[in-house]
Structures are given as C-alpha cells and as structure tokens.
Amino acid sequence: MTAQESIEYAPETAPRLRMAELAPDVYKAMIRLDTVAKRGLDPTLYELVKIRASQLNHCAFCLDMHTKDALAAGESVERIVQLSAWEESRHFYTEKELAAIELTEAVTVLTDGFVPDAVYEKAAKHFEEAELAQLIAAITVINAWNRFGVATRMTPGHYQPGQHA
C-alpha cells in the first residue's frame, strides 16, 4: 500500500435529491438557458465567471465542473487558483476580464441590494451592449445553478470535462 492509498478521507456526502430526475423539465430548461446565455462570450471569460460565482456561493459541484472545463479549454491553473484573490492578483487578468469578474461579484452577492453604477459602467466600457447582456445572463444562470447545487448538495468530484456540453 502506498502512502497515498493509506490516507483516509472523509466519506462522500450523498446528494439530498437529484434535480435532473425529480424536476427534469426544469433541469432541461436550465440547460437550454445556459446554452443561450453563453452565446457570443469568450469561452475562457465564461468559465472564469462561472468559477468566481461558484466560489462566492460555495458550490463545490460547480467549482469541480467549471475548473475542469476551464482547464480542458486551456485555462492555466495559476489563473484559476488566483481567481479567489483576484483583487490582489489583477496582473493575471485583462481589464475586460477584471470588469467581468467584478460584475460577477456584484450580481452574485447583492448585499447592498443593487449593482453599483461604477461596476456596471466599467463593464459597459469593455463589452458591447449585446455582449454585456449575454454576460449578465451568464452570471444569472450560474447563480441559479449554484443554488440548485448548494440546496441539493450535488456531489463534486465525478464530473468529466465537457460532460454536459
């Protein structure tokens, strides 16, 4: 037995319920919404947004999925790791990516009840209106997925890149 094999990890938690099986029409509608929300967005930017929202929402399943998809799409481990501390690691991202990440945080958290004008205006400088609308849709969709994942305790670790593409 190797040292790695002798490590005893905590048991895997089973999901509370399976949304895809119990609410299949909702699940299929979410997949369709996700598909149309990402149209016209850079795939790397799209994954960074999904990862950042999932970090904020503590959705382990979505973090597992979107980090794997980002890596499979050619994103670097370094940029993914630094995303949780993007404010101190700004030099890893473009100004457009930073605007999208900041907008993602503002739309995801909503602790003040609104998206600050400065955050919105910064995003509007980097995105054409139609692209900005798609970005807001993508942020909204990942937040909905995160809520399904967290509420039902979807189990991370089993996703394969592109599995739901």
Side-chain angles (χ1 to χ4, degrees):
M1 181 181 297
T2 68
Q4 188 69 9
E5 292 172 332
S6 66
I7 296 173
E8 188 173 327
Y9 292 97
E12 187 174 285
T13 305
R16 288 177 172 160
L17 57 85
R18 300 184 187 283
M19 286 292 294
E21 295 168 16
L22 298 168
D25 291 340
V26 171
Y27 198 83
K28 289 174 192 170
M30 284 294 297
I31 290 171
R32 287 191 306 273
L33 184 58
D34 202 358
T35 299
V36 296
K38 69 182 173 184
R39 285 187 189 152
L41 293 177
D42 175 77
T44 301
L45 178 90
Y46 180 67
E47 292 301 333
L48 290 175
V49 162
K50 287 183 153 207
I51 293 166
R52 186 62 191 135
S54 299
Q55 289 171 336
L56 293 167
N57 290 320
H58 306 279
C59 185
F61 181 85
C62 293
L63 280 169
D64 179 56
M65 175 188 291
H66 298 297
T67 55
K68 288 175 179 175
D69 282 345
L71 289 167
E75 183 56 84
S76 72
V77 170
E78 189 171 49
R79 282 172 35 107
I80 292 170
V81 168
Q82 291 300 317
L83 191 54
S84 64
W86 67 269
E87 290 174 293
E88 292 82 26
S89 305
R90 297 176 69 82
H91 60 285
F92 286 97
Y93 309 99
T94 68
E95 289 299 322
K96 185 174 185 175
E97 290 169 337
L98 289 168
I101 293 165
E102 193 170 354
L103 183 62
T104 299
E105 288 197 4
V107 172
T108 299
V109 178
L110 291 177
T111 54
D112 293 328
F114 60 91
V115 173
D117 289 340
V119 171
Y120 184 86
E121 289 165 10
K122 187 185 300 182
K125 288 179 185 175
H126 292 281
F127 294 87
E128 297 292 329
E129 274 192 324
E131 189 181 20
L132 182 56
Q134 290 298 129
L135 177 60
I136 292 169
I139 295 166
T140 302
V141 172
I142 189 56
N143 273 280
W145 278 122
N146 289 164
R147 279 141 179 82
F148 285 138
V150 171
T152 65
R153 288 204 180 129
M154 293 174 72
T155 308
H158 304 284
Y159 177 78
Q160 297 299 314
Q163 181 177 331
H164 297 298

